[in-house]
Amino acid sequence: MNDHPLVSTQWLADHLSSPDLVVINAWMPPVTHPDAPPVYPEAHIHGAVFFDVNEICDKSSDLPHMLPQPHVFSSAMRKLGIGDGQTLVVYDDFGAYSAPRVWWTLRSMGAERVFVLDGGFPKWRAEGRPFEDAVPRRTQSHFSSRLNNAAVADIDDIRNVITSGARQILDARSADRFEGTAPEPRAGLRAGHMPTAQNLPFNHLLSENGTFLPREDLIKTFQEAGIDLNRPVTTTCGSGVTAAILTLGLTIAGARDLALYDGSWAEWGSRDDTEVATGPA
């Protein structure tokens, strides 16, 4: 394997029996359908463990699914049988939604060999590949969390970026939410975007079948959104989930100095001490 963050369904099928491989089903219901049930209990890739983004998070925060403390994350990974040195392949039920968030979380916590299944479970099933409903029994493993603080932006980091212009801000929400012409799906949030931010809805990085666009097409897409891939980028969205799709796409495109604003608009749009812009970027 190389440093490319995606693996194909064929690659996973060929390596599914590898002893150092752990498949992870990343789960989070869409904000528009918060009561949607996971597919995992009825159907998942052989041996996959279930990673619930809304459970493996900072439960003390009033913001949704914020990164947990490293020791809490280590404990959660140990219980899932995820340990140091393993090759981790993450997928989700929608193609590309919560899997990039779990990929980013694992990478931010120090895991080195983490990949996303391109096309996710929809592509796997469409190709007639096998799945199961049995919950695997994995031996607990030791996971050493080492939080990379540079990968995670907080509200003060965003304030500094807006003032200094040292980084680009890229928002994954839809254009109407970014411009403030559509209401936010979460109650109590103002409409609009952070000053200086550019907008690139996350679905613009994906093909019609849910796979990521080829690298050259991703580069062109980012450039057309006003992003200089040679300059630092901080991604954001509604709550830090689809921002990770941008982060994954930027990684594929060759960008390296990347951070993700974990609180995203759920934090920024809920406060009265943050500046909000409306209209196109």
Side-chain angles (χ1 to χ4, degrees), residues 44-130:
H44 53 264
I45 295 173
H46 175 71
V49 297
F50 185 68
F51 186 124
D52 189 334
V53 175
N54 284 329
E55 288 298 321
I56 303 176
C57 64
D58 182 359
K59 293 297 188 68
S60 68
S61 175
D62 57 1
L63 295 171
H65 41 254
M66 295 286 284
L67 280 181
Q69 292 295 316
H71 72 278
V72 174
F73 189 76
S74 290
S75 176
M77 294 305 97
R78 182 174 65 250
K79 292 175 182 176
L80 289 179
I82 297 173
D84 297 336
Q86 294 171 333
T87 297
L88 311 177
V89 175
V90 190
Y91 77 91
D92 65 52
D93 298 341
F94 305 101
Y97 179 59
S98 49
R101 169 71 189 199
V102 172
W103 166 83
W104 172 79
T105 298
L106 287 159
R107 291 294 303 270
S108 298
M109 288 291 184
E112 296 179 352
R113 296 176 59 79
V114 190
F115 306 88
V116 170
L117 179 64
D118 199 17
F121 201 43
K123 188 171 190 292
W124 183 269
R125 294 185 74 164
E127 293 170 348
R129 301 187 186 276

Side-chain angles (χ1 to χ4, degrees), residues 1-267:
M1 297 181 69
N2 53 33
D3 292 332
H4 197 287
L6 299 177
V7 296
S8 68
T9 50
Q10 185 61 57
W11 185 95
L12 182 57
D14 291 342
H15 294 83
L16 201 53
S17 61
S18 298
D20 68 336
L21 178 73
V22 182
V23 181
I24 301 170
N25 183 187
W27 169 250
M28 200 196 81
V31 66
T32 53
H33 298 88
D35 296 325
V39 175
Y40 184 89
E42 285 75 40
H44 53 264
I45 295 173
H46 175 71
V49 297
F50 185 68
F51 186 124
D52 189 334
V53 175
N54 284 329
E55 288 298 321
I56 303 176
C57 64
D58 182 359
K59 293 297 188 68
S60 68
S61 175
D62 57 1
L63 295 171
H65 41 254
M66 295 286 284
L67 280 181
Q69 292 295 316
H71 72 278
V72 174
F73 189 76
S74 290
S75 176
M77 294 305 97
R78 182 174 65 250
K79 292 175 182 176
L80 289 179
I82 297 173
D84 297 336
Q86 294 171 333
T87 297
L88 311 177
V89 175
V90 190
Y91 77 91
D92 65 52
D93 298 341
F94 305 101
Y97 179 59
S98 49
R101 169 71 189 199
V102 172
W103 166 83
W104 172 79
T105 298
L106 287 159
R107 291 294 303 270
S108 298
M109 288 291 184
E112 296 179 352
R113 296 176 59 79
V114 190
F115 306 88
V116 170
L117 179 64
D118 199 17
F121 201 43
K123 188 171 190 292
W124 183 269
R125 294 185 74 164
E127 293 170 348
R129 301 187 186 276
F131 52 86
E132 63 186 17
D133 59 5
V135 177
R137 295 183 178 180
R138 292 190 56 81
T139 302
Q140 292 193 5
S141 300
H142 178 73
F143 186 95
S144 304
S145 291
R146 302 175 302 278
L147 179 60
N148 176 11
N149 290 294
V152 188
D154 62 21
I155 193 167
D156 290 330
D157 293 324
I158 298 298
R159 288 191 174 107
N160 291 336
V161 167
I162 292 171
T163 301
S164 68
R167 302 180 67 89
Q168 303 164 98
I169 301 174
L170 187 59
D171 193 321
R173 293 176 300 154
S174 63
D176 54 358
R177 288 173 64 190
F178 178 87
E179 294 174 7
T181 59
E184 285 294 306
R186 290 182 175 85
L189 302 184
R190 292 177 290 167
H193 60 268
M194 300 156 200
T196 77
Q198 300 293 323
N199 182 219
L200 179 56
F202 71 89
N203 59 304
H204 290 194
L205 305 187
L206 306 173
S207 68
E208 291 183 358
N209 65 2
T211 57
F212 275 82
L213 298 176
R215 182 174 185 271
E216 292 306 315
D217 292 343
L218 288 173
I219 291 172
K220 181 180 179 182
T221 301
F222 285 118
Q223 290 174 339
E224 290 177 346
I227 295 300
D228 182 348
L229 294 172
N230 294 313
R231 293 187 56 226
V233 185
T234 298
T235 60
T236 183
C237 61
S239 64
V241 174
T242 59
I245 299 175
L246 295 185
T247 300
L248 181 57
L250 285 161
T251 302
I252 297 168
R256 288 294 174 262
D257 190 347
L258 304 174
L260 185 151
Y261 176 24
D262 201 15
S264 282
W265 199 252
E267 179 175 40

